[in-house]
Amino acid sequence: EAAGEAEVRLLLQEARESIEAARSYRRELQQRLRGLHQAREQIKDSATLTRDVLEQHFSDLKGTLKKLLDERLMSLLQEVDVIEQESIKPLDECQKLIEHGVSTADDLLREGETSAVDGDVGQQNEKLCNFTKKALHIQLDSLPEVPSLVDVPCLSAQLDDCLLTILKNQIFRHGTVASRPPVQLEEFVEKPGGILVRWCKVDDDFIAQDYRLQYRKSTASHFEDVYVGSETEFMVLHIDPNVDYQFRVCARGDGRQEWSPWSVPQIGHTTLVPHEWTTGLEGYSLSSRRNIALRNDSQSCGVLYSKAPTYFCGQTLTFRQTVGQPDRRDSLGVCVEQRNGDDSLQRDKAVCISTNGAVFVNGKEMTNQLPAVTSGSTVTFDMEVVQLGPCSNEGGNFKLRVTISSNNREVVFDWVLDQCCGSLYFGCSFSYPGWKVLVF
């Protein structure tokens, strides 16, 4: 009986495993069906969009071509009008001159006939003498010049059929239909108040000169440019946490002006709240999003801390700054707690870099030094946890491996603390005005 029960239990176990395997198999098949449905919808939607784009483009092209042809026709007709008017004008003037001469000749004939038959001999002699003088004055042997037909314009239109051949060849080569864009989005990395977007080429034959990244909120109707350049990644800032954003990227081939087709749009988001400086410190002015701090002209000094301990180990904390006059007590870094009354992070329970490149750990300067901070450069902090002792509510030995990078150089060291730290504050201090720091 015991053997029978064991066999039944074994069969039941195998049956349960088979049922679970069937469920898992069904889930996988359903997921693949959804993937096929999405692929089919992408093909249909992109085909519909492509048809609309082609129809609209060629409709606009037809309208533009008709407008250009109408403008050219009008220009040629106006040219015909000008030539006609300029050529006929001297003929009209010559015609008026001839008609005036005919009229003058008619008057002279009538006067001559009258002088020859009317009055006595003495009067006739006087009239004939006057008539002769008048005829000589009129210069009856002077005739206006009338141009021959070969000397006057004969208008014609010169229309070369090669234009149709050129247009035909250009039109037949105009436009292409691509089944796959040459570049696709590759990765989204969540950042506090931002998303690091990476993309890559998927067409090895395509030589990219520039990339163009666009994004929009899922509720927005239009994409907007966020980056144009030669890099294959970009940090998109001012991202609201827990909100979906749609991204797409395209490329421009080497030596070309037109952009490639857009990549398949993808959704990215961040769950990390943005880093913010705390408000209210007299020596600093903040941007509207409170992620940029400007050291103002106030004589008051002190450490400007983050609003909350929003830096977590495993993340990268980045400072980008515009420089002012440096001072050896300046600092950029992270700390375990806010502490009022200090004028620098060069103290215990803090790690920082001075604007001259010196690195401080718990207030002590390290031997290794980084390059001095310059305008537009970035300083990054990366930390990972190495636990030395048990971590409890009462605390314990705690070690963080810290990497600080600046101007393509970095230092790595271990920061030993006497308590567990799940999150850290960041801060800065500058003695002189003009310093501006963006944190992300």
Side-chain angles (χ1 to χ4, degrees), residues 275 311 315-319 333-334 379-382 425-426 439-440:
H275 291 317
Y311 174 62
Q315 298 177 358
T316 297
L317 179 69
T318 303
F319 299 98
V334 296
V379 176
T380 62
F381 287 75
D382 291 275
Y425 290 90
F426 57 85
V439 60
F440 59 89

Side-chain angles (χ1 to χ4, degrees), residues 15-28:
R16 292 191 188 98
E17 291 176 353
S18 298
I19 291 172
E20 185 59 34
R23 287 173 177 167
S24 177
Y25 180 66
R26 183 178 63 182
R27 285 195 298 269
E28 288 292 333

Side-chain angles (χ1 to χ4, degrees), residues 397-424:
N397 292 327
F398 202 65
K399 181 167 69 174
L400 298 177
R401 184 149 298 153
V402 182
T403 302
I404 305 178
S405 302
S406 176
N407 287 326
N408 297 320
R409 288 182 57 187
E410 65 181 29
V411 293
V412 182
F413 56 89
D414 289 338
W415 181 23
V416 179
L417 298 169
D418 60 0
Q419 64 186 66
C420 295
C421 294
S423 58
L424 297 166

Side-chain angles (χ1 to χ4, degrees), residues 373-389:
V373 175
T374 57
S375 278
S377 66
T378 58
V379 176
T380 62
F381 287 75
D382 291 275
M383 299 188 186
E384 58 179 338
V385 177
V386 180
Q387 187 172 318
L388 295 180

Side-chain angles (χ1 to χ4, degrees), residues 107-120:
D107 293 342
L108 191 61
L109 283 172
R110 285 192 296 270
E111 183 178 346
E113 291 171 353
T114 303
S115 300
V117 298
D118 293 342
D120 54 21

